[in-house]
């Protein structure tokens, strides 16, 4: 028995499109500003887990913190520092150095504060448009 597989697209065209057209870069460039904005709201709304210890809340209250019960929101420095950094060749999210420590759990509890949920489907629309272009580019 002979097995024959046919495709209706060209792998070579697909590979060339992804390499030359900056496919991932365009998707990232469009999505990262939304991720930063959503992440700032995620922190402000107190959705970051795990919750902070009661002793930490008490200390924050004694210091007069306006947000003693919200993780990563004592001074607001992390929220203010989050930025989408987009250059000609790269896309990144930058922020206060202790943000990275929380993301990695480096000496502190791991707190994943980057909101990737896309509640208004803004990023999905961008990605969908890029995939339409991708499908067009790889047709035989």
């Amino acid at each position: 028995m002979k097995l024959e597989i046919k495709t209706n697209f060209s792998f070579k065209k697909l590979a060339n499109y992804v390499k030359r057209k900056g496919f991932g870069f365009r998707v990232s460039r469009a999505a990262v500003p939304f991720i930063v904005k959503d992440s700032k709201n995620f922190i402000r709304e107190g959705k970051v887990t795990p919750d902070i210890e009661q002793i930490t809340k008490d200390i924050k209250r004694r210091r007069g913190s306006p947000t003693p019960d919200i993780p990563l929101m004592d001074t607001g420095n992390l929220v203010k520092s989050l930025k989408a950094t987009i250059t000609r060749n790269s896309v990144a999210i930058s922020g206060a150095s202790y943000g990275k420590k929380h993301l990695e759990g480096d000496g502190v509890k791991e707190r994943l504060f980057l909101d990737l949920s896309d509640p208004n489907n803004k990023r999905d629309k961008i990605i969908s448009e890029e995939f339409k272009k991708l499908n067009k580019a790889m047709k035989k």
Side-chain angles (χ1 to χ4, degrees):
M1 183 169 131
K2 185 178 178 182
L3 179 64
E4 193 173 311
I5 299 173
K6 294 184 179 184
T7 65
N8 62 352
F9 67 92
S10 165
F11 283 105
K12 185 175 180 178
K13 284 184 180 180
L14 172 61
N16 288 339
Y17 179 80
V18 172
K19 286 180 193 171
R20 291 193 194 132
K21 303 280 185 172
F23 173 71
F25 179 73
R26 280 198 310 276
V27 171
S28 297
R29 185 179 61 208
V32 163
F34 292 117
I35 292 170
V36 169
K37 183 178 179 233
D38 293 345
S39 297
K40 287 180 175 189
N41 289 332
F42 189 77
I43 295 169
R44 284 185 190 115
E45 293 167 5
K47 294 180 180 177
V48 176
T49 58
D51 196 8
I52 49 182
E53 301 289 330
Q54 186 58 47
I55 188 127
T56 305
K57 291 178 184 181
D58 294 342
I59 291 167
K60 287 172 69 174
R61 274 192 189 86
R62 281 196 298 268
R63 279 195 325 228
S65 172
T67 56
D69 298 325
I70 301 177
L72 303 179
M73 194 59 207
D74 190 18
T75 63
N77 183 48
L78 180 61
V79 170
K80 292 175 203 166
S81 73
L82 289 177
K83 292 186 181 18
T85 306
I86 302 170
T87 66
R88 190 168 174 217
N89 300 319
S90 68
V91 178
I93 296 174
S94 60
S97 62
Y98 65 90
K100 183 177 179 186
K101 290 183 179 211
H102 279 281
L103 286 173
E104 296 174 349
D106 181 13
V108 294
K109 283 189 180 177
E110 182 182 72
R111 289 194 168 89
L112 305 178
F113 58 85
L114 293 178
D115 182 13
L116 305 174
S117 65
D118 196 19
N120 299 318
N121 296 321
K122 294 173 193 168
R123 288 175 261 150
D124 284 346
K125 290 174 188 170
I126 293 163
I127 292 169
S128 176
E129 287 301 313
E130 284 300 319
F131 275 103
K132 285 179 188 173
K133 292 175 190 175
L134 176 73
N135 284 328
K136 185 178 177 182
M138 69 181 185
K139 298 261 177 168
K140 282 187 173 179

